[in-house]
Amino acid sequence: MLWAFVITLVELSTVVVATSPRPRKTTTSTLDDEPFGNELDKPIPMVLAQGVAGQKGSLPCDIQPIGTNDGVSMVLWFKESSGEPLYSYDARNRKYGKANFWSAQHVWGSRATFRTNPPAQLIIQDLRESDEGVYRCRVDFRNSPTRNLKVNFTVIVPPSKPIIYDAKRRDMSKLLEAYAEGADLTLVCEVHGGRPRPRVEWYMDTQLIDESYEVRESQGPGGEMRPITVNHVTLEGLSRKHHHVKLSCKATNTILALPPTTTVIIELNMKPLTVEIVGKEKFTGKEKIFSAGKKYKIECRSTGSKPPAVLTWWRGSRQLKRAVENFQNGSTSVSIVEWIPSIEDEGKYLACRAENPRLPESAIEQRWILKVHFTPIVILRMGLSLKPKDIKEGDDVYFECNVRANPQAYKLTWFHEDEELHHNVSGGIVLSDHSLVLQGITRESAGKYTCLAANTEGRETSNVVNLEVMFAPICKHVLNSGTWKHQNATPPPFNLPEELHGALKHETIGLVCEVEANPTSVTFHWTFNNSGDLNDLPASKFSSDGTVSRLNYTPATDMDYGTLGCWASNIVGHSKLPCLYQVVAAGRPFPLQNCTAVNQSGAWIRISCIEGFDGGLPQKFVAMVDKQRWESPYPYWELELHEPTSVALYAVNVKGSSDPVIMDGIALKGVAKFTGESVSSVDMSPILIGLGGTATGLGLIVTGVLMALWRRHAATPAKPKPPQQPSIATFAGKGEEEDGNPDLIPTTALSNHTDLLQPPEAQQVSRGHRQMRCYTGELHLRWE
Ligand SMILES: *[C@@H]1O[C@H](CO)[C@@H](O)[C@H](O)[C@H]1NC(C)=O
Ligand SMILES: *[C@@H]1O[C@H](CO)[C@@H](O)[C@H](O)[C@H]1NC(C)=O
Ligand SMILES: *[C@@H]1O[C@H](CO)[C@@H](O)[C@H](O)[C@H]1NC(C)=O
Ligand SMILES: *[C@@H]1O[C@H](CO)[C@@H](O)[C@H](O)[C@H]1NC(C)=O
Ligand SMILES: *[C@@H]1O[C@H](CO)[C@@H](O)[C@H](O)[C@H]1NC(C)=O
Ligand SMILES: *[C@@H]1O[C@H](CO)[C@@H](O)[C@H](O)[C@H]1NC(C)=O
């Protein structure tokens, strides 16, 4: 539709344009002013008309009669001054609409048609260059004089389609090339032919940007010189707005036809415009805070690049290459990096760089200055001025806890062997800032020290610093050994200031002195104190090995009983107090203690006691029921009783027997329990009461002492015992040998009853068995 309209406009404008360059006076005014006269004598008015080769053109011819009641009888067309008509319209003697048309075959033939409707014109189809020329139309009217009109008809030859070359003279229509943003683009448009010479103009989209063209000669394929019209255009500094812009070269030599046009579309390689790091976690504010060791997913986006930007990640000058995912989301390039910051990244930057691979130096980047938070790094060390190997009791020591943390640690705690230390000036513990001061340390201060620091990221314990404290030797008493376990009893929980040892004259007892000391390189010496005189024992009497010294001591006279002291010293100093060993003359054993009875199955009853001090001599144990007597190497019996009765229990050694413990009314009544104290409560004879008095006196000696005394024998298991427990008789015999023994404890009770205590050969003790059937002879136990 639009096309048709344009064509119509063009047709209409033909006459107008053709006439416009000519002064109006010579065209229209002459027409109007010339009603009559000799047609060829007068100057014939001429109009200008144009047509485009290949299209149709029109030759105007005014056939309007001047007067009314007149009409056209004939119209004839001539070329130049030729007298031969080329075309005729004959309406002579014909009815309206039945006129005769004729066209000379060798000129226009069927290409020409005459249109009589005003404005009348001869339409020529498919114009040829040869159609150009000056034409005359002669109009014959029925009444009026003939009219002549001239038409100067020009045939316009359109130019060829423009060819666009780039600076390297490559045909742009066959080229797919993208130009770098910022570069200059020079294009040449060349147009062959065209009559008249065309205007060759550059348009950007619809806007004219260059109309400076020139005509050159160029050599055609056949060597002939051909004119070409050339226009150079240069776009300086191509920018984003030039991307996909249409650059057109138009060759125009008429408005009667659309000008041949060649268009190129500019393709640009463009730099990235934006780059932005987007943390998946919230990273608000200027400082981006990370936690060391945590894994982060960070995204970077870039827009504006064509082709799409290549995104790379950098930490400082080092590229992060691991765990990076790149993809394109629409026109946005996206890169996701997985990254674990370390403490060393603090203050460095994390950068995302976007670069167009086609454009060097197109890279842009965004940087994040890193703040890396981490759990404290805690290093503990002892004060620099201290010599760790040279610290002794009483010294002051200090530790420094070096904490590196971000954010700052809000808490610092100190530990000694898992126990938290608190500031206590009176206790000699001073905590300040990052140090711990221990004043006047003791050997208990030795051990492992740590400090612990906490911040919002977590808490961390330091390395362990071991504090070694040297101290002078001190006595170490070990009481639980040997037969305690066998008796299933609990060892006394306390240490003793001294050990008590009973010894016969000429009997050798072994004393063991063990000390604790640091360093453990210790020298010993032993002293003997008898009634105030303190004498050193010759070094030949004892041996030393590390922290242990052994003395074999043999009292020869009464003067040899007393207190032995074991002293030790190391580089720190001397022991303040010696280990003390009281050596007393051997005597009667001490009574049994804490005796209990439990009924067994049937008539059997089990009695067990705790033994007391053996008086410095081997002891054994005797239970007496009525006239029956049971001996045992341990204070333990199993008896068969058929009726309620009393049982007397003794410890016996060669010096005599201990005070008895009487268990009364043992009668298979379930459990009965008796203790040494029960002696006084049972019904007993006066002698027993006397014995009880003695026992009370002895009972004043602390239980622990008794334990210690017992230990001496318990601790010497190496002493071979005969398979058969020595009988009282054996003890007695030995006792006689030890004639000169000081009888510290008179053996009143048993000496009165030696007859009873002599169960001679009939006595038979089966060791290692709990049940002791030891008796065949008749025994009469009389307490009167
Ligand atoms: C016809 O027109 C052309 C172009 O307008 C001009 O060059 C030529 O001289 C004219 N011819 C005559 C006879 O007026
Ligand atoms: C792509 O971009 C759109 C719009 O910005 C967004 O909604 C979408 O989540 C993005 N896709 C990915 C995979 O990031
Ligand atoms: C401080 O130390 C002293 C001495 O060791 C101790 O008796 C006291 O209980 C301590 N005070 C505190 C508050 O721990
Ligand atoms: C020696 O023993 C006596 C009495 O037991 C005591 O008073 C004295 O302090 C002791 N002397 C030494 C040096 O141990
Ligand atoms: C003996 O018994 C008494 C009282 O029951 C108790 O306090 C004591 O510790 C016992 N002695 C031993 C060595 O078990
Ligand atoms: C003690 O003896 C009685 C009577 O024979 C018996 O019933 C009871 O079970 C015994 N108890 C134990 C602990 O053996």
Side-chain angles (χ1 to χ4, degrees), residues 32-85:
D32 295 340
D33 295 346
E34 228 174 347
F36 302 105
N38 186 342
E39 58 188 82
L40 287 175
D41 291 348
K42 295 179 188 170
I44 301 172
M46 184 156 73
V47 297
L48 203 61
Q50 284 185 335
V52 177
Q55 299 183 8
K56 69 179 177 186
S58 64
L59 304 173
C61 182
D62 185 1
I63 56 168
Q64 202 63 38
I66 292 165
T68 50
N69 287 332
D70 202 355
V72 175
S73 66
M74 196 168 187
V75 180
L76 289 174
W77 287 90
F78 304 90
K79 191 171 186 187
E80 304 288 344
S81 49
S82 164
E84 262 182 66

Side-chain angles (χ1 to χ4, degrees), residues 79-101:
K79 191 171 186 187
E80 304 288 344
S81 49
S82 164
E84 262 182 66
L86 306 176
Y87 191 91
S88 69
Y89 166 79
D90 189 356
R92 286 173 299 188
N93 309 320
R94 287 176 193 269
K95 287 182 184 164
Y96 180 77
K98 297 280 181 186
N100 196 19
F101 297 90

Side-chain angles (χ1 to χ4, degrees), residues 423-439:
H423 188 72
N424 183 349
V425 176
S426 65
I429 299 172
V430 182
L431 302 181
S432 71
D433 201 18
H434 282 117
S435 63
L436 163 70
V437 179
L438 299 176
Q439 292 169 324

Side-chain angles (χ1 to χ4, degrees), residues 385-386 391-398 428 437-441:
S385 62
L386 298 172
I391 293 170
K392 54 187 190 299
E393 273 190 312
D395 286 352
D396 294 347
V397 297
Y398 67 102
V437 179
L438 299 176
Q439 292 169 324
I441 55 166

Side-chain angles (χ1 to χ4, degrees), residues 118-163:
Q121 51 192 325
L122 184 69
I123 309 286
I124 316 290
Q125 304 289 338
D126 190 17
L127 285 173
R128 296 168 188 169
E129 272 193 79
S130 57
D131 292 333
E132 186 168 299
V134 178
Y135 294 89
R136 177 168 62 91
C137 80
R138 198 189 84 180
V139 187
D140 295 333
F141 297 98
R142 276 196 292 274
N143 302 323
S144 311
T146 293
R147 178 190 297 164
N148 278 296
L149 291 168
K150 275 189 181 175
V151 179
N152 183 351
F153 189 70
T154 318
V155 173
I156 291 168
V157 180
S160 65
K161 192 169 165 66
I163 305 172

